[in-house]
Structures are given as C-alpha cells and as structure tokens.
Amino acid sequence: MLIVNLNIRGLGGGTKARYLRSIIGREEAEFVCLQETKTSELSDARCYNLWGDNKVGWVHNKGDNGSGSLLSLWNTKSFTYESHVMGKGFIIIIAQHIKSSSRCVVANIYSPCSLSGKKTLWDDLSNTKSVSRDRIWCMCGDFNAVRIRSERKGVKERGGQVSERNDFNSFIDSNLLMELPIVGKKFTWFKHDGSAKSRIDRVLVSEEWLRLWPMSKQYVLRRKVSDHCAIVVKSVEKD
C-alpha cells in the first residue's frame, strides 16, 4: 500500500499540481490525502490534472467555503470504491484494495487549532471507528497536535497544551492505533524563517493494517510547495 499525505495550503496553480504529479508518478501512489485545499468546488478535470490521468476517484470535503477543506484521491486500478463518511475535519473512504483483496478504510484528517475542536473531531472519529466492522484502518493527516513536548521547537508552551497532548495520546490508545516508524525529517511543519517547527502531520494505523503490510513506514520528504512536508507511506518491500 502506498499513500501520499500533504497539507498543501491551497491547490494553487501549476507548480503544486506538477509537484503532486511528480510524487504520484515517482512513487506509484495508490491513495493521496490532501488537507487545506482552500477551494469549495472541484471538478473531474481538476482532479485528473492533479493525478496525471483520469484513472482516479475522488471525494472533496469543502469545509467552510474552502476553509478546512480536504481532498482524498485514489487510483481506480488499485481501489474499488465502496462508500465514504464525511464530517467536519475528515473524509473516510471505505474501499477494496484490489491487489491484497482486502477491505480498507483510509481517513484523511485535518484537525482544527482549538482544543475543543480537536476533542470534537477525535470523538467523531472514535465513534465512527467503534461502529465500523472494518478492522484495516489508516488515519493520516494534519492533526494539529503533538504527542510529546519535544515534537515542537521554537513555540512557547501555552496553557492547555499538556491537556492536548494527553487527549491526543488517549485518542490514539483508545482506538488501538499505532504510529508507523518515521524515516527522514523529524518535523513536518516549518515556519517560513525556520524559527519554529513541529511534528503535527502523521500516520496512524490499526494492528490489522500492520499485519497486512508489516514493513510500512512513513517517509517525510523535503518541504517544497507548502510549509508542511509531504509524507509517503510505503513498505520497504513494495506491495
């Protein structure tokens, strides 16, 4: 399974589309999760341009008139789409992964900045997962939260951040999720002048996911078209 995740901070023009197409083509991506598309309307033609051909399915969560919007895309030769669940801050795609003959769930997540907003989102995700019969889960995106203090540098500790970390770790543990090993950069978001950085983008999977793809890791790429780095989820042994 090969997934690309990026908070793209607006789809922009040709530069960002070319960057996405280059990653998708080079990595032979099967699924792409984008956060903050900053657009309320998308078309087949636009998604074909982002992917590089028309062998792509997609679901767009327009957020609040583009604010907080998400886009999930997948290779229709790799996945047979079944259904999706959409709410504030997430898109969940349920599909059959053709090569492994496995029914998988991929959640594309963009968490709000406020602690109350995060709690609402994590509760919504937890409730959706708890009633799902599917066990092969992957949650990836911009969680706007860190698990330990050292995952933020150059940012003054604010009131509530300890509670935020505790709540985020509780969400992960209660949903029996595990974080994939990270390769490459330790941080995924950088302030434009480099004075602050954090690891707020990540990939969490279920135990069943790891049984199916035991060599999976998350590779953090160099930052190019956004203040966030793209993450590529892949196995050492390509599946």
Side-chain angles (χ1 to χ4, degrees):
M1 173 71 78
L2 206 149
I3 299 174
V4 175
N5 180 83
L6 175 62
N7 181 327
I8 199 164
R9 292 297 298 272
L11 291 177
T15 300
K16 291 187 177 182
R18 284 192 295 272
Y19 176 69
L20 281 174
R21 288 196 301 270
S22 70
I23 296 179
I24 291 167
R26 181 179 70 245
E27 300 290 348
E28 298 180 6
E30 296 175 283
F31 205 105
V32 174
C33 295
L34 300 177
Q35 301 87 45
E36 280 202 276
T37 66
K38 295 190 176 180
T39 180
S40 58
E41 298 296 334
L42 279 175
S43 64
D44 282 339
R46 186 78 183 275
C47 292
Y48 296 165
N49 181 53
L50 292 172
W51 193 266
D53 60 39
N54 64 356
K55 304 297 189 297
V56 60
W58 59 278
V59 172
H60 180 226
N61 183 337
K62 66 181 181 180
D64 185 8
N65 292 320
S67 175
S69 51
L70 302 104
L71 175 62
S72 293
L73 308 108
W74 59 91
N75 187 334
T76 54
K77 291 182 177 180
S78 298
F79 284 95
T80 302
Y81 166 87
E82 293 186 10
S83 63
H84 71 271
V85 180
M86 192 159 59
K88 188 172 182 179
F90 68 90
I91 301 172
I92 294 173
I93 302 293
I94 300 96
Q96 189 82 9
H97 184 245
I98 295 170
K99 192 168 185 178
S100 67
S101 300
S102 301
R103 196 165 183 250
C104 302
V105 182
V106 181
N108 180 3
I109 296 163
Y110 179 59
S111 179
C113 293
S114 70
L115 180 56
S116 62
K118 290 181 177 73
K119 287 182 176 180
T120 298
L121 173 60
W122 296 336
D123 285 345
D124 289 344
L125 291 169
S126 297
N127 292 336
T128 303
K129 187 174 184 296
S130 68
V131 299
S132 171
R133 295 181 180 179
D134 300 289
R135 295 183 177 275
I136 303 174
W137 274 74
C138 176
M139 294 190 185
C140 54
D142 178 357
F143 289 88
N144 259 316
V146 298
R147 301 191 66 183
I148 54 177
R149 186 172 181 176
S150 61
E151 290 182 343
R152 273 200 175 104
K153 297 290 185 182
V155 180
K156 187 176 180 180
E157 183 87 351
R158 302 190 312 271
Q161 287 189 338
V162 173
S163 176
E164 177 184 281
R165 291 194 295 268
N166 290 339
D167 288 343
F168 186 36
N169 283 311
S170 177
F171 160 74
I172 294 170
D173 293 342
S174 64
N175 283 286
L176 303 177
L177 296 169
M178 293 168 283
E179 185 157 9
L180 293 178
I182 190 168
V183 179
K185 292 183 176 295
K186 179 181 177 181
F187 301 97
T188 62
W189 171 85
F190 295 82
K191 193 174 181 179
H192 65 90
D193 60 1
S195 62
K197 51 192 175 181
S198 63
R199 187 181 174 200
I200 52 178
D201 310 88
R202 62 185 74 234
V203 180
L204 308 167
V205 299
S206 64
E207 183 179 353
E208 290 80 8
W209 182 284
L210 275 179
R211 285 178 188 161
L212 192 57
W213 295 290
M215 303 301 290
S216 295
K217 293 180 174 65
Q218 49 182 326
Y219 295 78
V220 181
L221 306 185
R222 289 175 54 201
R223 181 169 59 95
K224 287 198 172 182
V225 297
S226 170
D227 53 357
H228 293 252
C229 300
I231 296 175
V232 176
V233 179
K234 59 182 176 179
S235 300
V236 175
E237 297 174 358
K238 187 175 277 189
D239 48 8

